[in-house]
Amino acid sequence: MIQVNILLLIINTLFIKMKKILVVCLCCLIAGWKINAQQPVYLNPSKSIEERVEDALSRMTMKEKVDLCHAQSKFSSKGVARLGIPEIWMADGPFGVKFEFSWDDWTPAYWTNDSCTALPSLIGLAASFDPDLSYKYGKVLGEEARYRKKDVILGPGVNIYRTPLCGRNFEYMGEDPLLASRMAVPYIKGLQENGVAACVKHFALNNQETRRSSVNIILSDRALHEIYLPAFKAAVQEGGAWTIMGSYNKYKGQYCCHNDYLLNQILKKSWGFDGVVVSDWSGVHDTMEAANNGLDIEMGTHTDGLFESVKNAYDQYYLGDRFYQALQRGEISEKVLNDKARRILRLIFRTSMNQNKPWGSFGTPEHIIAAREIAEQGIVLLKNEKNILPLRITGKKIAVIGENATRTMIEGGGSSGLKSKYELSPLKGIQNKYGKDNTIIHTMGYASGPAAKRSVLPSPYNADSLLNEALNVAKQADVVLFFGGLNKSFLQDREAGDRQEYELPFGQEKIIAELQKVNKNIIVILVSGNAVAMPWAEKIPAIVQAWYEGIEGGNAIANVLSGDVNPSGKLPISFPVKLTDIGAHAFDKTVFPYDSVNKKTFNVYYKEDIFVGYRWLENKKIKPQYPFGFGLSYTTFEINNINANKKTGTTDDVINVSFDIKNTGKVKGAEVLQVYVGQDKPSVPKALKELKAFRKVPLEAGVSTSVTIPVPTKSFAFYDEQTQNWKVEKGKYFLYVGTSSADILQKIEININ
């Protein structure tokens, strides 16, 4: 009985305690509900972004709104500390998350944990012709940026490749607006899915680095809308880009970072852009224009006190105290300020205050594998006589000649330079692939000077001695791998300076010619972000275009040379035989680099108009060294039954181009089918044909498949300067289906009623 009573006592005690616990839990739930009910709308993630924006805006002072509109450090802008709204942190891209800088200047912060996964250059990504890879690229970049607590990545760059001399071509996506558009959109989506904003740049017409901060671009409305704006438009309307960066140059005599026509009329009004316009660093020149002409955040401006890091230096920006004082005097409407603040708050709620964003990851094995795959898929096989490639050898002597076999390419180039976890050089890749079964000897052959910011430093080596050593090594070798091309020093592939010549630098042409005399088995691998002259190409059995390939570049190149990976890249640019074959160099210096007579305007006249790259070459019947869209493979493809589902249609139709494709070789590979459109008897000058669709088709050996590529008839339109709108004319058109702009398999007639 005593035991029963004790048991009942224990049960009763537990019941009382459980009641207390339940009461406490219920009170907590009620309190939590009350707190949530009283929580400001801008802090409530269950509310829509627009509701949160308006609530936050209503709580801010004018000064707090102004403070949103300019930098507070080299790579950040203010939030609203009083309201718990965080800062915006930006980082240079577009190939990886930049290392940390000091607060006020360009000095590295020398952190030990900011070494990123360096991805291939964007021109190499474009050469893959693979939008799925572009999404993967953006996803890797977004995950690393999120891990590093970055809200904005300053990329991708989508300016059009107008001239092979432009120093930043390696940062862009080629000469064709359709290709750049199709590759930019998935990059943006992959990046922004991580709660990190893409900052698409440089809007617009930043097609040269020579006097980039002073040249005034003069071109037709057709060229602007058909060639230079489509990738930006796709980035906004299809990619949903959250930020856009203005460019340094002028258009219509007005700086592009506060250009009313570009930013207000086109970007925000016509395209419906609801994001933030960020200035390029030091791209702002006037308070009233910056305020009224569409700029939202001013970054990097050179103002008094900035470099001395004095207190309030950032308040001296054009959108700082001067902006605030003009608002107080009524010279600028507060509606202008509120529009900027709304856009910036919207960006903050999409990024740093987005509670659904992933955690991110940094330098993972998966990221490194993705970087290598992207590099492999963009490598282009330009020539392969007698099937010297793939290189499968045992017991041979391999001469690896060229500075580019060992030179670092990740750190240089300007703002896109990175601090990577490591950089696997081409020489190391060759050693990894062939070193166990072959003898590998490396010699420089040529040498440039040390990397420099804005100067050309002489080489410390004797050119004749380097050449003689290279010839001695080549004579003893069974095969020569010559790694040439450009590098990322000043006046090469680098920001703030354009190339000075189309030819290979550092005496490489002479070296290739001399090597060819002592060894016929030469494979030239070009590491560059630009086309180069190739007067030596006819005598070289194999040529590979390798771009700047990032962290795993050496392994990627070796995998392609060995045949472990079949090359499937295609040229996103034309390789002209000589520089004057291209429209930007077919006239005079007023077309490139600028009109030197008028020192006040530095006008650049785009006299080639819409005829950029292959459009110019084909209309002028000039044969290129290698055409746009070209690239060889180690396998062969048979393409049959090319058809279009419609031969007559309207402007609302989609024409489905179908074909059967079979890999008739012995190894896995991929072919890129390209659909171009041309018009018979157009009312305005047009290119003979323009790329309108493409599809990369991977196939195992012996496998066949059927593929359909949709081509909207709206894409046949040209920009009518009379109506300032797009127009599809009635009449006869032709679809050209092929594997490059010069290799057309079938021409199909289409009539638009």
Side-chain angles (χ1 to χ4, degrees), residues 236-274:
V236 170
Q237 296 190 334
E238 298 174 48
W242 293 338
T243 66
I244 296 285
M245 181 187 289
S247 60
Y248 284 124
N249 51 281
K250 297 178 183 178
Y251 169 62
K252 293 182 180 289
Q254 198 168 62
Y255 286 104
C256 291
C257 281
H258 35 82
N259 187 294
D260 178 64
Y261 183 67
L262 289 177
L263 301 182
N264 284 337
Q265 304 308 316
I266 293 179
L267 179 63
K268 293 183 174 180
K269 184 177 180 180
S270 179
W271 296 352
F273 177 62
D274 69 353

Side-chain angles (χ1 to χ4, degrees), residues 45-160:
S46 67
K47 298 294 184 179
S48 72
I49 285 180
E50 297 309 312
E51 288 177 301
R52 297 173 72 188
V53 166
E54 292 305 317
D55 183 59
L57 191 69
S58 69
R59 300 170 187 267
M60 292 169 61
T61 67
M62 178 184 286
K63 184 63 167 62
E64 287 171 334
K65 295 174 189 177
V66 169
D67 284 348
L68 294 177
C69 298
H70 62 84
Q72 64 164 1
S73 76
K74 269 297 180 193
F75 283 93
S76 70
S77 58
K78 282 186 179 180
V80 188
R82 180 178 64 85
L83 299 178
I85 296 173
E87 308 154 322
I88 296 173
W89 279 92
M90 307 177 189
D92 263 325
F95 317 143
V97 187
K98 191 85 168 183
F99 54 82
E100 298 296 330
F101 283 98
S102 300
W103 186 265
D104 283 323
D105 57 39
W106 296 106
T107 306
Y110 298 110
W111 288 15
T112 58
N113 61 349
D114 57 349
S115 297
C116 69
T117 302
L119 294 157
S121 60
L122 287 191
I123 197 165
L125 172 65
S128 74
F129 275 70
D130 190 339
D132 291 338
L133 270 187
S134 190
Y135 170 80
K136 183 179 289 188
Y137 192 114
K139 186 171 184 291
V140 169
L141 184 56
E143 287 173 353
E144 298 217 346
R146 172 48 51 213
Y147 184 90
R148 289 268 302 280
K149 296 180 172 58
K150 304 301 180 186
D151 305 305
V152 180
I153 282 290
L154 306 177
V158 297
N159 293 101
I160 291 297

Side-chain angles (χ1 to χ4, degrees), residues 433-475:
K433 186 66 63 176
Y434 296 103
K436 291 182 181 179
D437 303 315
N438 303 277
T439 301
I440 300 170
I441 304 173
H442 171 251
T443 185
M444 291 182 71
Y446 66 91
S448 62
K453 188 175 181 181
R454 293 185 185 234
S455 61
V456 179
L457 302 180
S459 170
Y461 303 100
N462 180 274
D464 290 336
S465 297
L466 292 175
L467 174 58
N468 291 334
E469 177 64 18
L471 293 175
N472 289 333
V473 170
K475 287 175 184 177

Side-chain angles (χ1 to χ4, degrees), residues 636-656:
T636 54
F637 297 93
E638 188 177 277
I639 302 165
N640 294 306
N641 302 321
I642 301 174
N643 280 298
N645 69 326
K646 292 184 179 182
K647 300 298 175 69
T648 301
T650 70
T651 55
D652 295 323
D653 288 331
V654 172
I655 298 171
N656 290 310

